């Protein structure tokens, strides 16, 4: 994302449009209070056994989304497939609602679904924000982001950190230490994002960040690009009242932290999973790189659409930006250009990360 100091006229026009009044989504907020389905029907196929496709993780139901996909794909009509997939999402969330118990309720407005114990007026405002944010993300990331064609934009707001981490444990490997989080987008089968109950102002940037990941889910981009786009979009749509960290101090931290080994972790996405300052600095370095690269939006759009996590976007950068990623990061970190700082997939010990952690 380009900074205000370097934004092109077309980007200024686009950003100006974001602060104009928008038409409120006319769909009513529905409270979905039906009993959780044990099976689903679709035309021309046998029913889907929801109960058999559900397993428990830390006492919370998780859908076998591969089984759900196979059932949906067996439906002949495309519109019926879309309805069948939406039914699977609703069935799973209904089971999760019942397992969480208490005052959790499932609400829907348009394409947005919210599972939470938020008060009705706060829940309605949150759903409206989700819908409005998806529209804004697609406009800001013109030609890169897409609203998913199927299913709902799903937000789960847990009452407390204990419930949140009990649920998101499914997204982490069994071994290792991992950085704390207040929200994440979970890809597994049915893409959805989760956070912890708080006031709406605190939740909003989490929603903007995670919804950006949802709108980038169709692209095989590397973690640094995925996270850089999400951080910049979050800052654009929900700027922090505290502003950005002190730039001079932050730059000094970058210079002290990054070395040849660490920068390969950055390109492979592994540095975003560190439990030290490398986690924070990875997000910030991704933000800086994306901000610089996106100054020329037309070229950046071609790069983002062509970038692949297999080489951290190196080939696409050469083709569409006319630059070497290693040279670019060396310039940011005030180093002489060095081939060792370019993405080197042969140095990575495991498969690269997609981001959306």
């Amino acid at each position: 994302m380009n900074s205000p100091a370097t934004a092109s006229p077309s980007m200024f026009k686009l950003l100006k449009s974001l602060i104009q009044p928008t038409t409120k989504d006319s769909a009513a907020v529905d409270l979905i209070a039906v009993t959780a389905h044990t099976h689903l029907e679709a035309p021309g196929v046998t029913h889907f056994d929801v109960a058999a496709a559900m397993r428990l993780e830390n006492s919370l139901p998780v859908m076998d989304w591969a089984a759900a996909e196979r059932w949906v794909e067996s439906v002949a009509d495309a519109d019926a497939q879309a309805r069948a997939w939406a039914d699977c999402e609703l069935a799973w969330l209904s089971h999760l609602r019942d397992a969480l118990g208490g005052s959790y309720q499932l609400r829907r407005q348009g394409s947005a679904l919210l599972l939470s114990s938020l008060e009705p007026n706060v829940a309605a405002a949150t759903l409206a924000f989700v819908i409005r944010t998806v529209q804004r993300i697609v406009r800001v990331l013109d030609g890169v982001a897409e609203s998913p064609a199927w299913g709902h934009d799903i937000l789960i707001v847990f009452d407390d950190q204990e419930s949140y981490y009990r649920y998101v444990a499914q997204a982490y490997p069994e071994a290792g230490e991992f950085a704390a989080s207040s929200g994440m987008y979970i890809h597994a089968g049915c893409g959805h994002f989760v956070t912890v109950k708080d006031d709406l102002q605190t939740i909003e940037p989490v929603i903007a960040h995670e919804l950006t990941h949802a709108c980038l889910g169709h692209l095989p981009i590397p973690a640094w690009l995925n996270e850089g786009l999400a951080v910049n979009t979050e800052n654009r749509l929900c700027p922090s009242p505290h502003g950005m960290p002190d730039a001079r101090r932050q730059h000094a931290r970058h210079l002290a932290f990054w070395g040849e080994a660490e920068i390969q972790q950055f390109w492979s996405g592994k540095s975003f999973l560190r439990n030290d300052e490398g986690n924070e600095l990875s997000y910030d370095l991704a933000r800086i790189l994306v901000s610089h690269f996106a100054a020329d939006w037309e070229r950046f759009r071609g790069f983002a659409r062509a970038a692949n996590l297999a080489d951290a976007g190196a080939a696409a950068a050469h083709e569409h930006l006319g630059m070497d990623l290693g040279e670019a990061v060396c310039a940011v970190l005030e180093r002489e250009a060095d081939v060792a700082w370019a993405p080197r997939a042969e140095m990575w010990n495991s498969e690269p990360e997609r981001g959306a952690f």
Side-chain angles (χ1 to χ4, degrees):
M1 302 292 294
N2 35 337
S3 64
T6 58
S8 65
S10 61
M11 283 301 292
F12 272 128
K13 182 178 179 182
L14 177 60
L15 294 172
K16 182 179 178 182
S17 71
L18 297 181
I19 61 175
Q20 303 302 318
T22 56
T23 302
K24 185 176 180 180
D25 192 285
S26 59
V29 176
D30 298 322
L31 176 64
I32 303 174
V34 296
T35 303
H37 291 290
T38 57
H39 68 276
L40 299 173
E41 305 287 344
V45 297
T46 58
H47 73 267
F48 178 59
D49 190 337
V50 175
M54 208 79 71
R55 72 180 191 277
L56 292 179
E57 293 273 354
N58 295 320
S59 302
L60 296 176
V62 177
M63 176 75 83
D64 180 351
W65 291 108
E69 288 175 3
R70 289 192 296 270
W71 178 68
V72 170
E73 288 172 356
S74 69
V75 179
D77 180 70
D79 289 339
Q81 283 186 337
R83 288 193 297 272
W85 182 257
D87 287 344
C88 289
E89 292 177 333
L90 283 170
W92 159 62
L93 286 170
S94 297
H95 279 274
L96 182 57
R97 174 201 62 197
D98 293 350
L100 289 168
S103 56
Y104 280 88
Q105 293 181 319
L106 183 58
R107 287 183 166 86
R108 173 174 54 194
Q109 181 179 11
S111 63
L113 280 172
L114 170 66
L115 177 60
S116 75
S117 65
L118 295 171
E119 293 297 321
N121 61 322
V122 181
T126 303
L127 284 164
F129 177 80
V130 170
I131 294 169
R132 194 165 58 246
T133 299
V134 171
Q135 296 168 346
R136 290 179 172 182
I137 290 167
V138 172
R139 292 170 65 187
V140 169
L141 303 182
D142 177 39
V144 177
E146 293 181 5
S147 179
W150 276 16
H152 300 88
D153 300 308
I154 300 171
L155 169 63
I156 304 171
V157 181
F158 291 94
D159 278 350
D160 49 58
Q161 291 282 344
E162 188 277 330
S163 299
Y164 171 80
Y165 281 111
R166 185 155 59 100
Y167 179 80
V168 303
Q170 62 172 293
Y172 288 101
E174 292 185 5
E177 297 182 23
F178 307 98
S181 72
S182 58
M184 70 171 63
Y185 180 71
I186 297 179
H187 286 282
C190 167
H192 60 286
F193 48 103
V194 295
T195 188
V196 181
K197 187 176 183 179
D198 208 331
D199 64 87
L200 188 57
Q201 185 177 2
T202 300
I203 291 175
E204 283 180 353
V206 176
I207 293 174
H209 185 106
E210 304 305 331
L211 268 179
T212 301
H213 287 313
C215 292
L216 296 172
H218 62 290
L219 296 173
I221 57 178
W224 71 267
L225 179 55
N226 202 342
E227 296 298 343
L229 283 165
V231 171
N232 276 284
T233 304
E234 171 193 341
N235 291 342
R236 184 72 70 190
L237 299 184
C238 303
S240 170
H242 307 296
M244 299 294 291
D246 179 77
R248 187 171 299 178
R249 177 178 178 275
Q250 195 76 347
H251 184 61
R253 293 177 65 205
H254 280 294
L255 297 184
F257 177 80
W258 296 105
E260 290 183 12
E262 288 78 14
I263 206 64
Q264 292 307 318
Q265 288 185 355
F266 176 79
W267 295 129
S268 70
K270 301 302 181 184
S271 64
F272 292 88
L273 298 173
R274 294 176 67 116
N275 61 356
D276 59 8
E277 68 171 341
N279 171 267
E280 175 199 345
L281 292 176
S282 294
Y283 283 93
D284 195 52
L285 181 57
R287 175 192 64 81
I288 293 168
L289 289 174
V290 168
S291 180
H292 283 308
F293 294 164
D296 185 336
W297 185 255
E298 291 300 319
R299 298 177 71 184
F300 179 79
R301 176 167 48 197
F303 161 70
R305 293 170 63 172
N308 194 287
L309 78 167
D311 68 348
H318 278 288
E319 179 179 357
H320 294 276
L321 301 178
M323 68 173 62
D324 179 88
L325 289 180
E327 292 179 0
V329 79
C330 283
V332 169
L333 298 174
E334 299 180 3
R335 300 183 59 89
E336 292 293 329
D338 188 336
V339 294
W341 288 65
R344 301 172 66 186
E346 71 276 8
M347 303 290 292
W348 305 343
N349 297 322
S350 56
E351 291 296 313
E353 301 288 342
R354 291 178 58 95
F357 299 106

